[in-house]
Every structure is written in C-alpha cells, then in structure tokens.
Amino acid sequence: MTAEATLTVEDLKAWYGQARALFGVDLTVRPGQIVGVLGHNGAGKTTLLRSIAGVHRSRSGTVRLGETDLRAKSADAIARAGLSLVREGARVFDSMTVTQNLALGRQLARRRGTEPPALETVLDVFPALRDRLGVKGALLSGGQRQMLSLARALLSRPSVLLLDEPSAGLAPVVAKEVFDAVRTLAGDGVALLLTEQNPHWLRGLADTVYLLESGKVARSGVMEEVVGG
Ligand code: ATP
C-alpha cells in the first residue's frame, strides 16, 4: 500500500531559543516496524517528532527517509516525501465533515504523485468512522477524532507515520482500537514511530523502545530491557 522506506535519525539536536531540548538522538524505524518512544512530561517526545517532521525548525543532525535527506526540507515537502505526523490531541477540522476531513488526506497523496488507497480500505481499518461520514468534526468523540486523524494520515499514503501520544485522553477500550489500527498499518509496511508516557500500551506492540530522559536516549532495546518485564 505504501512506498517502503527506512527512517534514519542521527545526532538530532533541538533548541527553543538558547535552551536545548534534544541532545543528539539516534534512532531507526524500518518498514513494518513499530518503534516506541517513552518518557515523562517534558522529556522531549513531542519535540523529537516535530523535529523529524520539520515542524520544529531549530534543530541539527540527520533525518533521512530511505536515501532522501529530509532535514533541509520544509514541513510540507517532508509530508510530500511520505512522512506524516499525527499530533497529540487528534487535530481534525471541526467545521468539516468526516468525509471532508478525509478528502484532505487524499489531496496530499495526489500532491505527492501517488494514488490514495480506496476509502473502503481505510474504513475497514477504522470501522467506527463508517457511519459518521456526514458528521462534523466538532461532534465526534475523542476516540473518533483520533481514528479520523489516523485515517486521514493513512489516506495520504505515508511510508512513515509519527504518532504523538495516540492514547492521550482516550478510554482504555478506545485506545486499544487505535493500537489495533496501528498494528494493521505496520502489517501494510508503514514504519511507525509513536510516543507514550505509559509503557502499558507499548507492551506487545512496539518492536523496539527508546526511553527518553531530559532530551537524551537513556536506554533502548526491547521493552523488557528498557523498562523491565
Ligand atoms: P509531554 O509529554 O508533556 O508532551 P514531551 O516529552 O513531549 O512532554 P516536549 O514537549 O518535547 O516534551 O518538551 C521538551 C522540553 O522542551 C521541555 O523542557 C519543555 O519545557 C521544552 N519546551 C517544549 N515546548 C517549548 C516551547 N514552545 N518553548 C520553550 N520550551 C519548550
């Protein structure tokens, strides 16, 4: 479903003015892999994803998608190259219907020169959206908003999907549905990098986990090595 490519991040540093927020992060996400980034409030998880996606510009280091160097590109060009960021809190357009929100993802795929997947295929991954297509974003539940932002990203046919705390604010049963969808996407060859504060959701999901502390990778490896069994 996607053009497969490995995301490579080397020595990524980021700043807010004079204050350093990332101190040289290295990580790799291969097609079909689910990589988790764990860390407390303020550890730098959001900054990491925003720096990779080019939304946060005050940064240095290497960010590559396959052989393509992304670091000098604009956020828009990075999105067109195949990397989608789903921000914390599931941004959807409140005044637009679910169908209209999804159309934005399709447009991005076309701007990238690829044909978006069929809407039906995406609705199979997110069945909760199927009977909400005519409903305005403002009227969706938190879980439906999260599904919609993921579905929109999927319609843009990304090779790499970055998800910032996808479980934030969701009831456990809804969060589980979101993570089931994440697993399906990985099965389709999408490379997934997601942040979480709570290791619970990454157990049995993430192939590799990075523990971020004060902007540095304190530990990385399989879940049991990083946070204990
Ligand atoms: P959370 O779980 O709360 O989202 P996080 O792990 O995503 O936390 P970041 O939001 O990336 O952490 O923050 C990393 C560091 O950068 C923190 O010290 C934070 O105070 C600082 N920071 C984040 N955003 C800004 C900003 N807009 N201006 C200045 N400092 C910032």
Side-chain angles (χ1 to χ4, degrees):
M1 235 166 111
T2 51
E4 298 192 348
T6 296
L7 173 70
T8 309
V9 173
E10 287 166 357
D11 198 25
L12 186 63
K13 298 177 177 139
W15 290 262
Y16 291 98
Q18 299 294 311
R20 184 101 69 101
L22 293 179
F23 290 79
V25 172
D26 297 295
L27 60 85
T28 308
V29 192
R30 297 191 177 80
Q33 215 186 4
I34 302 175
V35 172
V37 177
L38 276 171
H40 294 301
N41 260 338
K45 304 182 297 298
T46 299
T47 306
L48 174 63
L49 298 195
R50 288 168 52 86
S51 297
I52 294 171
V55 178
H56 184 78
R57 303 298 301 172
S58 182
R59 70 212 203 290
S60 71
T62 304
V63 180
R64 265 198 327 268
L65 186 57
E67 295 305 311
T68 310
D69 178 6
L70 297 184
R71 207 186 51 82
K73 291 185 188 289
S74 67
D76 191 51
I78 291 174
R80 273 186 275 120
L83 185 143
S84 288
L85 168 65
V86 176
R87 300 174 190 211
E88 188 180 348
R91 311 275 169 96
V92 303
F93 292 96
D94 282 347
S95 61
M96 294 166 71
T97 63
V98 168
T99 302
Q100 288 167 334
N101 268 281
L102 292 174
L104 296 175
R106 304 177 72 79
Q107 278 170 17
L108 178 54
R110 296 220 168 88
R111 274 165 53 211
R112 210 183 266 159
T114 59
E115 192 52 31
L119 186 57
E120 272 308 303
T121 313
V122 173
L123 292 176
D124 284 345
V125 183
F126 303 99
L129 296 178
R130 198 180 285 280
D131 58 356
R132 313 292 286 165
L133 289 174
V135 174
K136 291 231 164 95
L139 298 176
L140 299 177
S141 68
Q144 289 163 348
R145 292 170 77 81
Q146 188 62 264
M147 305 275 182
L148 176 54
S149 53
L150 268 167
R152 190 176 59 201
L154 180 58
L155 278 166
S156 75
R157 214 182 251 279
S159 335
V160 179
L161 197 50
L162 312 181
L163 306 178
D164 200 7
E165 298 199 33
S167 73
L170 300 186
V173 62
V174 181
K176 188 181 169 305
E177 281 177 41
V178 170
F179 288 112
D180 286 347
V182 164
R183 224 178 246 116
T184 305
L185 299 186
D188 276 341
V190 180
L192 285 127
L193 180 65
L194 54 102
T195 68
E196 277 298 328
Q197 283 194 36
N198 185 339
H200 167 77
W201 292 113
L202 298 183
R203 265 182 222 289
L205 179 80
D207 306 294
T208 304
V209 174
Y210 292 81
L211 177 66
L212 207 55
E213 285 178 1
S214 306
K216 299 186 188 92
V217 176
R219 284 198 290 282
S220 65
V222 297
M223 193 69 182
E224 296 70 30
E225 285 169 5
V226 173
V227 293

